[in-house]
Amino acid sequence: MRLTPAACAAVLIAFGAPAHAGEPATPAAMARYAEQLLDAQKLAVDGPGVTVLVARGDQLLYKGARGLASVELGVAMQPDQLMRIGSVTKQIAAAALLKQIDQGKAALDDPLSRFLPDYPNGAQITLAQLLNHTSGVKSYTGIAGYMGNPVRSDLSTAELVKVFKDLPPDFAPGAKWAYNNSGYVLVGAVVEAISGKSWHESIDGLLLQPARISSIHYPAGDRLLKGMAQGYTVAEGGRVVPAGLISMTQPHAAGALVANTEGLWRWNQALHGGRLLSPALYARMTTPEGAAQAQRYGYGIGVGSLRGQPLFSHGGGIHGFVSMLTYLPQTQTTVVILRNSDGPGLPMDAVARKLAAFAIGEPFTDPQPVAVPPEQLKAAEGVYARDGQPPRTLRVKDGRLHSQRGGGSSIALVPQGEGRYAFPDGLSWLQVERGSDGRPVALQVYSNGEAEPERWVRRGDLPAELSFITLSPAQMQALVGDYSAPEFAIRVFIDEQGRLKAQAAGQPAFELKASTPRRVHVPQVDAQLDFSGDDGPAATATLLQGPAKIVMARR
């Protein structure tokens, strides 16, 4: 039958309610759950580590650590270890500019040209557009080759702005949304123009000192920070190696700060507790607007939901470190996760959401399968589409219904009955929507504990299943090389085990799976690379990922 609004409500009552709704977690219960969840991640005890904090208001529910702060020296990670927080810096930089606006020194609708008169097209770019990634300014971290040697150089703010200021914009200001590190360098430059001090000194004076936060810092090159963990990455063959070099002048207001979990907890309390900004500007910061609405992005903060509660979050990734900061304003719940490795191995957002859900008394549980007739599984097969996203294919394999996004990995779903299928992580599930004739017409996809689903419309029957071939050494060698375009660059190489791999700057290497001698796939990131020519070295590689298409020339 077709799902009417009333039927949808019934589905939500039956399936969307938390599995074990109850009282908020006690510190003892939270500690047991957090330890069990970290155990399940199977992090190496002799490798890079992680720190985790969960709090509700002023009450600390859990603080712990795993792994090593220094692999070379065998130093255990401590719960208060300092680490680079990457793009979590953005919300702190955004709040500094908003504080200056509260003081009457600027306005969100002010043009960039008021503060940087020589910036090209600055009269058409507003401060609000810098804050929510709708300025169209070219992101300097996407410049081909920039994240290699150039990012190691110490630069002043003016020198860093000069790197990207004359590059053609990606789109007209306000027309679209694209995550943009250059925009936050410009936020920092505006903060400096207003205050006459460096952006990080301004953050300290405007925000951190008044809030009495003493464990968020700018890591100046000549400054020793007690308790700073070493950063690591993963090289070919899974070896842990020191992180790539980067001058911390370059992440700037887009990602240069370091902190520990306690400092970010105190930051959440100050920002979301009304101690830093006026209610009007705080509302602007946490309310997506314009072209940023579809992405649910405010000013340095992502806006979503978890178990029916509003959720504010942002992650960070920088050489040697990753971070996740989450906040549920309705229950004043904070979750902080910091890790001193930029390699794969810990699903930061999923772990943070599970910890937050447990803290509020609405935990996620591992889905348990129920018996479903084979014909019901078969009926759900097909290709489902949603604008701007890779297609989702449902296919029965080995007696189980699998979901696959684009060229990504195939995930076996857990049948729950009545057309509902859960993902094995316990956070996400989908509901098959049927038309009046009983046939599937769409999927209602509930992701990461969100209360509102995305609707994926059925577009057709199954295509032929993608099969992979083994390339000869000569066929692989023809694809090897460095390929670049203004917005992206990638290196294709053969590793010590004879596997064809690709690696973008600052990212881990992924093994490539070939469907033809000139077409390869990166299942982990739903991407495809098409190489030019029929034989001999390829001249170009075309990256296809979601709606993006980037043609890169061999260097």
Side-chain angles (χ1 to χ4, degrees):
M1 69 175 181
R2 189 170 188 172
L3 282 179
T4 63
C8 286
V11 169
L12 285 173
I13 292 170
F15 299 122
H20 298 91
E23 293 298 317
T26 63
M30 190 76 241
R32 287 193 298 271
Y33 178 77
E35 292 291 332
Q36 292 170 0
L37 187 57
L38 289 174
D39 286 343
Q41 307 313 308
K42 294 181 169 55
L43 297 173
V45 296
D46 58 350
V50 62
T51 60
V52 177
L53 179 146
V54 185
R56 184 172 51 245
D58 290 327
Q59 183 184 24
L60 178 65
L61 299 177
Y62 173 78
K63 185 163 70 169
R66 295 289 179 96
L68 301 178
S70 171
V71 174
E72 299 93 321
L73 299 177
V75 177
M77 184 71 77
Q78 299 299 318
D80 288 322
Q81 214 86 49
L82 290 171
M83 299 192 220
R84 295 176 185 171
I85 62 173
S87 288
V88 175
T89 299
K90 288 182 172 68
Q91 63 184 263
I92 303 175
L97 180 53
L98 293 173
K99 186 69 173 180
Q100 291 173 322
I101 292 173
D102 260 338
Q103 295 173 342
K105 298 175 181 177
L108 283 169
D109 293 333
D110 278 347
L112 176 60
S113 58
R114 177 182 170 188
F115 308 97
L116 301 182
D118 297 330
Y119 196 88
N121 201 38
Q124 306 304 316
I125 300 170
T126 68
L127 301 187
Q129 290 164 349
L130 296 177
L131 290 166
N132 69 4
H133 300 304
T134 61
S135 69
V137 171
K138 181 73 70 177
S139 187
Y140 70 105
T141 51
I143 299 172
Y146 192 81
M147 297 303 285
N149 282 328
V151 81
R152 300 177 180 184
S153 301
D154 290 340
L155 297 180
S156 67
T157 296
E159 289 169 335
L160 184 54
V161 171
K162 189 177 180 180
V163 167
F164 58 82
K165 66 180 294 187
D166 294 319
L167 295 176
D170 290 330
F171 48 82
K176 298 180 182 180
W177 184 94
Y179 194 81
N180 188 328
N181 288 310
S182 293
Y184 269 80
V185 172
L186 293 172
V187 167
V190 171
V191 169
E192 291 183 352
I194 293 172
S195 68
K197 301 177 182 178
S198 70
W199 67 271
H200 49 88
E201 289 174 324
S202 300
I203 282 174
D204 203 45
L206 290 167
L207 305 170
L208 302 182
Q209 289 181 15
R212 297 183 180 179
I213 299 172
S214 59
S215 54
I216 297 178
H217 309 280
Y218 174 71
D222 61 351
R223 184 181 183 188
L224 290 175
L225 292 173
K226 185 177 181 180
M228 182 71 194
Q230 295 296 314
Y232 300 92
T233 192
V234 177
E236 298 172 21
R239 294 181 299 114
V240 173
V241 298
L245 298 177
I246 182 173
S247 165
M248 295 308 287
T249 64
Q250 298 236 12
H252 207 265
L257 295 180
V258 303
N260 63 16
T261 56
E262 179 115 6
L264 291 175
W265 171 29
R266 301 305 179 192
W267 167 255
N268 264 358
Q269 288 181 296
L271 175 66
H272 302 294
R275 290 157 46 197
L276 298 179
L277 300 176
S278 66
L281 281 182
Y282 174 76
R284 289 289 297 272
M285 185 181 191
T286 55
T287 305
E289 56 193 25
Q293 284 182 309
Q295 302 295 330
R296 297 191 292 183
Y297 196 91
Y299 298 163
I301 292 178
V303 180
S305 66
L306 179 74
R307 292 307 210 197
Q309 293 193 23
L311 178 144
F312 301 144
S313 66
H314 209 292
I318 193 170
H319 294 56
F321 298 86
V322 288
S323 60
M324 177 60 63
L325 178 61
T326 297
Y327 186 73
L328 299 175
Q330 186 172 311
T331 51
Q332 300 179 35
T333 301
T334 287
V335 176
V336 190
I337 307 177
L338 304 177
R339 186 174 182 227
N340 64 329
S341 172
D342 59 22
L346 182 66
M348 303 280 281
D349 185 49
V351 171
R353 285 172 178 268
K354 288 183 176 182
L355 290 169
F358 189 92
I360 64 175
E362 300 184 10
F364 291 98
T365 57
D366 293 333
Q368 301 301 313
V370 300
V372 173
E375 59 271 19
Q376 188 177 116
L377 298 177
K378 198 71 177 175
E381 287 187 324
V383 177
Y384 297 83
R386 181 174 171 82
D387 289 346
Q389 300 193 39
R392 182 188 299 272
T393 301
L394 296 190
R395 184 189 304 269
V396 176
K397 294 192 291 186
D398 301 323
R400 301 182 67 182
L401 188 64
H402 286 65
S403 174
Q404 185 174 25
R405 294 278 302 278
S409 57
S410 179
I411 300 173
L413 302 176
V414 183
Q416 304 286 279
E418 301 295 330
R420 180 185 187 238
Y421 298 87
F423 288 83
D425 64 5
L427 292 173
S428 306
W429 57 278
L430 59 84
Q431 177 73 41
V432 178
E433 179 183 328
R434 302 184 184 278
S436 57
D437 59 359
R439 296 181 179 179
V441 296
L443 302 175
Q444 301 284 344
V445 180
Y446 296 79
S447 298
N448 295 320
E450 296 271 3
E452 295 297 325
E454 293 181 342
R455 189 171 189 267
W456 292 67
V457 178
R458 192 177 191 276
R459 294 302 190 201
D461 295 330
L462 284 175
E465 187 169 8
L466 191 65
S467 60
F468 298 124
I469 63 174
T470 301
L471 297 182
S472 69
Q475 288 172 325
M476 287 194 288
Q477 192 61 48
L479 310 183
V480 168
D482 293 318
Y483 299 86
S484 66
E487 64 270 42
F488 193 72
I490 197 166
R491 179 172 69 98
V492 178
F493 63 96
I494 301 172
D495 72 5
E496 296 172 352
Q497 286 74 44
R499 298 171 298 185
L500 188 67
K501 289 190 170 183
Q503 185 172 26
Q507 299 183 23
F510 293 111
E511 185 174 1
L512 302 177
K513 301 289 187 180
S515 56
T516 76
R518 296 280 164 157
R519 172 170 291 174
V520 299
H521 304 265
V522 193
Q524 298 94 330
V525 294
D526 289 347
Q528 173 181 311
L529 284 169
D530 288 341
F531 295 87
S532 63
D534 296 322
D535 53 33
T540 65
T542 301
L543 173 67
L544 301 171
Q545 188 175 27
K549 179 178 180 179
I550 302 173
V551 180
M552 299 171 286
R554 181 196 290 271
R555 295 209 300 268

